Amino acid sequence: MGKYILADNQELTRYALEAIIREKDNSCDFYRASDKTGLVEKLKEHENAVVLLDYTLFDFVDEEQLLIVAERFGLSQWILLSDDLSPQFLRRIVYSSASHQLSIVYKNETLKDIRDALDAVSRHTHHISQRALETIILQQQQEDERPSVLTTTEMEIVKAIAQGKSTKEIAAERFSSIHTITTHRKNIFRKLGVNTAHEVIKYAFRAGLVDSSEFYI
């Protein structure tokens, strides 16, 4: 008997998902979560549940927060169902340490895609739809064709920032002055079009400069 948490705030979608799931498992249990807090509470009660989540309709701050929850409940399986997901989001999910828990399907794909994802989670593996894979590959090709926004030195400083190092620590490691590192930081913020270190850290994850094991802030 399976346990499913429907974390989707569209009533019609929840109804359709229940019908599809009952085709295979008529004795399953369904639970509903309408926000992140409620979802965490349900997972505390049912750690091995399958979560069907529309990420775009939920109150997760970003994909990092989603991954933290998924990793916290390591016995759970997730199917991310949304109308639209950015290439950056898809790459972060697929290349995360929790990727084996996370399947991805767009809501406007075929019923077969949804059933394939449900079959995958029942075997404790994951399913990435063809459209999601094509989106990831296309973005990678586009990135390969354009020059890097940041210099090698700036990339190294971005990585150091994501690892939680202060300007003083970065300067000491690079045998540079604090003024030099501060200038690099200003240039990095300007080139990336960001205003905070948190946004720089998010860029570092998306660019593959760091993974969760190196993240200290």
Side-chain angles (χ1 to χ4, degrees):
M1 181 175 68
K3 297 179 179 181
Y4 297 85
I5 300 174
L6 301 180
D8 190 308
N9 289 321
Q10 291 180 329
E11 186 174 2
L12 183 60
T13 301
R14 294 196 306 271
Y15 181 84
L17 289 173
E18 285 193 28
I20 294 169
I21 292 168
R22 289 194 187 280
E23 290 175 359
K24 290 195 61 174
D25 185 1
N26 198 39
S27 61
C28 57
D29 292 328
F30 290 101
Y31 308 93
R32 181 185 171 189
S34 58
D35 56 26
K36 177 174 65 69
T37 300
L39 175 57
V40 170
E41 291 302 313
K42 290 298 181 185
L43 283 167
K44 287 179 182 177
E45 299 173 12
H46 312 286
E47 293 187 357
N48 62 341
V50 176
V51 179
L52 293 103
L53 169 71
D54 188 333
Y55 172 80
T56 59
L57 296 181
F58 247 54
D59 58 341
F60 285 101
V61 174
D62 54 26
E63 62 268 26
E64 301 307 323
Q65 197 174 73
L66 167 63
L67 291 171
I68 288 170
V69 174
E71 291 175 355
R72 176 181 173 186
F73 299 98
L75 298 178
S76 62
Q77 295 287 317
W78 298 61
I79 298 178
L80 306 182
L81 273 165
S82 294
D83 289 319
D84 187 37
L85 294 168
S86 70
Q88 293 84 0
F89 174 89
L90 293 171
R91 285 182 61 181
R92 182 69 188 101
I93 295 299
V94 168
Y95 298 138
S96 72
S97 58
S99 61
H100 64 285
Q101 294 174 251
L102 300 160
S103 295
I104 301 172
V105 182
Y106 288 96
K107 281 186 174 179
N108 60 357
E109 292 188 279
T110 66
L111 284 176
K112 181 180 182 303
D113 281 296
I114 296 175
R115 291 188 176 109
D116 286 346
L118 289 166
D119 286 340
V121 298
S122 70
R123 301 190 304 271
H124 295 281
T125 183
H126 70 288
H127 170 81
I128 308 298
S129 74
Q130 185 64 32
R131 178 182 164 191
L133 288 173
E134 289 174 354
T135 300
I136 294 170
I137 293 169
L138 177 60
Q139 191 212 27
Q140 185 64 58
Q141 290 173 339
Q142 291 173 341
E143 288 185 357
D144 291 344
E145 291 170 0
R146 66 173 180 259
S148 175
V149 174
L150 303 179
T151 66
T152 300
T153 296
E154 289 168 343
M155 286 285 196
E156 292 171 354
I157 292 174
V158 165
K159 182 174 181 178
I161 292 172
Q163 291 172 331
K165 296 175 182 176
S166 67
T167 299
K168 183 177 180 180
E169 290 171 328
I170 297 171
E173 286 185 358
R174 300 186 64 82
F175 302 101
S176 299
S177 69
I178 293 176
H179 174 74
T180 297
I181 301 303
T182 300
T183 300
H184 280 307
R185 283 175 63 104
K186 289 179 180 178
N187 289 335
I188 289 166
F189 279 41
R190 175 179 53 80
K191 288 182 177 181
L192 297 181
V194 301
N195 297 302
T196 67
H198 180 68
E199 292 173 297
V200 173
I201 292 167
K202 290 174 68 174
Y203 170 83
F205 275 115
R206 292 196 299 268
L209 298 177
V210 292
D211 58 34
S212 57
S213 65
E214 298 177 284
F215 182 55
Y216 297 113
I217 294 178

